[in-house]
Amino acid sequence: MEERKVPEHIGIIMDGNGRWAKKRGLPRSEGHKAGANVFRRICDYADEIGIKYITFYAFSTENWRRPPDEVAALMDLFRDYLHEAEERREENKEKGMRIHFIGHREGVPQDITELFDTTEEESRDAGRIDVNIAINYGGRLEITDAVKAIARKVKSGELDPEDITEDDISANIYTAGQPDPDLIIRPSGEYRLSNFLLWQSAYSEFWTTDILWPDFTTDDFDRAIDDYNSRARRFGAV
Ligand code: FPP
């Protein structure tokens, strides 16, 4: 049993795949492939140690600007994972993994969004760990979507603008009903949120490492959690 306090929700920005591949003289797509395997390992490990929610940043709304062959390679990796999830339906149920895809579905190839639906549907009753996979996700877009939903309620007379609270925003973002991330991990030596969970990360602890995502191990994940345990979260109080 875990002695230390594991965060309830961890967010991960899977960064450094391109540099990992470049260092080895490989195409960037090989870095993403290695990164996808690390995603699987960390996902399983998070479940093993009792994390309740984990959010992976897999593809941002800005990532469409990458070369078409790189975008296609990433979509292929998502497809592989989704087919695998279909094949391992029973195993995943046992693992208790409830999977959610957060982000805009428009723009993502239809065969993939159909697999998003099946995967979400089939894992709906699992309840040990909620895994959010952010694909075609942008934090500003998410907040804009929430504002639109609230504006529609105002327009229909259901809601008075003066009564809008932070809880209304929280209830209209993609992670509605889930706790905000306690800890956000970003490998590859960058110190940016890059449009990830902007609303949810108001009080998240941030942990970075120079290690590139394809080299990231369960030991690194443990180090991040140990470090989180040593921090005092004051939420603005003293
Ligand atoms: C950023 O590294 C990484 C991405 C844009 C893609 C992340 C996606 C995966 C690891 C695949 C996940 C797979 C599944 C099935 C969810 P980068 O390419 O920007 O790295 P660089 O900064 O070194 O160039």
Side-chain angles (χ1 to χ4, degrees), residues 13-21 28 31-37 39-40 56-60 63 66 70 74 77-82 101 133-135 186 188 190 192 212-213:
I13 302 173
M14 303 186 284
D15 193 17
N17 300 342
R19 274 163 284 171
W20 182 91
R28 294 177 58 83
H32 296 314
K33 200 164 153 188
N37 289 333
F39 152 79
R40 287 176 176 84
F56 291 93
Y57 203 6
F59 194 90
S60 74
N63 285 151
R66 295 191 175 210
E70 183 175 345
L74 279 163
L77 286 175
F78 301 149
R79 257 186 212 102
D80 289 348
Y81 171 73
L82 289 158
F101 293 94
I133 306 175
I135 293 179
R186 179 162 195 161
S188 94
E190 308 283 357
R192 283 188 300 278
L212 304 173
W213 177 249

Side-chain angles (χ1 to χ4, degrees), residues 48-59:
E48 233 170 81
I49 63 172
I51 308 281
K52 291 285 165 215
Y53 301 86
I54 189 156
T55 303
F56 291 93
Y57 203 6
F59 194 90

Side-chain angles (χ1 to χ4, degrees), residues 106-123:
E106 303 87 81
V108 178
Q110 199 186 334
D111 68 302
I112 295 187
T113 59
E114 281 169 7
L115 287 164
F116 284 173
D117 292 339
T118 342
T119 308
E120 286 184 338
E121 183 61 39
E122 279 169 359
S123 67

Side-chain angles (χ1 to χ4, degrees), residues 139-149:
R140 286 187 171 182
L141 183 62
E142 176 179 38
I143 296 169
T144 308
D145 280 346
V147 169
K148 280 186 189 162

Side-chain angles (χ1 to χ4, degrees), residues 43-99:
C43 213
D44 285 347
Y45 186 64
D47 177 29
E48 233 170 81
I49 63 172
I51 308 281
K52 291 285 165 215
Y53 301 86
I54 189 156
T55 303
F56 291 93
Y57 203 6
F59 194 90
S60 74
T61 44
E62 290 73 36
N63 285 151
W64 296 109
R65 295 184 201 137
R66 295 191 175 210
D69 61 332
E70 183 175 345
V71 171
L74 279 163
M75 294 299 146
D76 281 344
L77 286 175
F78 301 149
R79 257 186 212 102
D80 289 348
Y81 171 73
L82 289 158
H83 285 302
E84 195 183 292
E86 232 181 3
E87 281 158 24
R88 297 205 185 149
R89 204 178 312 157
E90 290 310 316
E91 194 184 316
N92 281 344
K93 259 189 203 154
E94 261 167 52
K95 277 188 192 159
M97 266 183 206
R98 184 161 43 211
I99 301 168

